[in-house]
Amino acid sequence: MAARPYASAPGVPFDNTTTTGIITYKGSKSSTPKMPTMPNFNDTMTAHKFNSNLTSLVHGKTWIPVPTEVDEHMFMTIGLGLVSCGGNSNCSGPLGQRLAASISNFLFEFPTNMSMLQAHFYNISRIYNATFPDQPLKTFDYTNSSLSLDQSLVMTTKSTTVKKLRYNSTVEIVFQDTSLVGLDNHPMHIHGFNFHVLAQGFGNYNASVDRKKFNFRNPQARNTIGVPVGGWAVIRFTANNPGVWLLHCHLDLHLSWGLSTALVVDNGGTPSSTLPPPPSDFPTC
């Protein structure tokens, strides 16, 4: 078998190598392996077909059924953007601004004087604000490339804005790619949880049509989903792990540009569902 990288962003360098492996079946006859024909590195449809056809082993040792009742419905737009250079300076990005990335137009900035987990545990204010919206502040034709540099949409600002969740609540998130600056595939990752991938597709998510595609029988269970370039993905999970958990794009450059937020999950009221105190030698900022 062989595998190679998938890269959807034009002109962006990547490790264009192929990895191979040989599987030997017990009792089989020896033969010379043949190198398979590999798809192009930017073959979006082949990558999507492979990723979207994966399913879970129902009734396996780690199988957890999909929760049916949803407490938190969230719609998150994900993609690139621009942030002001400030003052009279001029940056090398489009429109003379600095390249950025955001979720629902919130460019995430990590606090520098205290960790978010410390602030959550000790109930210290002004380290982050728990006002992340369930819906984007602006609704538009998300995958329309003619809007990629629309200044009323593409500009974003820095903040440490998070989403607070009640312990054991069921969360459904729609990740919607946008064409701002440029369309791209975003591998969205959540710390602290596995989630079910209910459906994914291209274009703008349409609940009245796309919810009919949800797989409740044997959906993938994972902690990272590659949101299709110019498309969407829907996930669902139970917030049963108290603490502060980062949600972000796993492209390191996009993470450093601000494509992340955090989920702050409350305690559950029992010793096993309560966040323990930090150790005595816990390093501080």
Side-chain angles (χ1 to χ4, degrees), residues 82-85 89-98:
L82 301 173
V83 65
S84 174
C85 284
S89 56
N90 189 50
C91 293
S92 58
L95 306 178
Q97 306 295 342
R98 181 178 288 114

Side-chain angles (χ1 to χ4, degrees), residues 53-119:
N53 279 336
L54 296 174
T55 57
S56 288
L57 180 62
V58 178
H59 305 308
K61 289 191 297 183
T62 60
W63 167 251
I64 297 175
V66 182
T68 56
E69 300 296 325
V70 178
D71 302 299
E72 297 275 357
H73 290 271
M74 302 188 70
F75 187 100
M76 296 183 176
T77 55
I78 56 175
L80 305 182
L82 301 173
V83 65
S84 174
C85 284
N88 296 320
S89 56
N90 189 50
C91 293
S92 58
L95 306 178
Q97 306 295 342
R98 181 178 288 114
L99 283 168
S102 67
I103 300 179
S104 297
N105 210 36
F106 286 82
L107 187 164
F108 192 77
E109 185 173 48
F110 286 89
T112 57
N113 57 345
M114 178 179 288
S115 75
M116 292 184 290
L117 187 58
Q118 283 176 281

Side-chain angles (χ1 to χ4, degrees), residues 1-4 18-22 32-40:
M1 66 173 63
R4 69 177 306 185
T18 299
T19 184
T20 59
I22 298 174
T32 301
K34 295 181 180 180
M35 182 67 183
T37 301
M38 304 300 291
N40 292 329

Side-chain angles (χ1 to χ4, degrees), residues 95-167:
L95 306 178
Q97 306 295 342
R98 181 178 288 114
L99 283 168
S102 67
I103 300 179
S104 297
N105 210 36
F106 286 82
L107 187 164
F108 192 77
E109 185 173 48
F110 286 89
T112 57
N113 57 345
M114 178 179 288
S115 75
M116 292 184 290
L117 187 58
Q118 283 176 281
H120 170 59
F121 184 84
Y122 292 113
N123 196 27
I124 297 173
S125 60
R126 299 185 180 181
I127 302 301
Y128 59 79
N129 68 81
T131 59
F132 196 93
D134 291 338
Q135 300 291 323
L137 300 182
K138 294 183 179 180
T139 302
F140 59 99
D141 187 0
Y142 303 114
T143 55
N144 185 345
S145 294
S146 68
L147 301 176
S148 63
L149 293 178
D150 186 321
Q151 293 192 58
S152 68
L153 301 171
V154 75
M155 298 302 297
T156 185
T157 55
K158 300 177 181 179
S159 68
T160 309
T161 305
V162 306
K163 171 66 177 180
K164 198 163 188 178
L165 297 171
R166 178 175 51 82
Y167 178 82

Side-chain angles (χ1 to χ4, degrees), residues 3 30 55 75 77 107 131 154 178-179 187 191 209-210 226 246 253 275:
S30 177
T55 57
F75 187 100
T77 55
L107 187 164
T131 59
V154 75
T178 74
S179 64
H191 292 219
V209 175
D210 295 325
L246 200 63
L253 185 60
L275 189 69

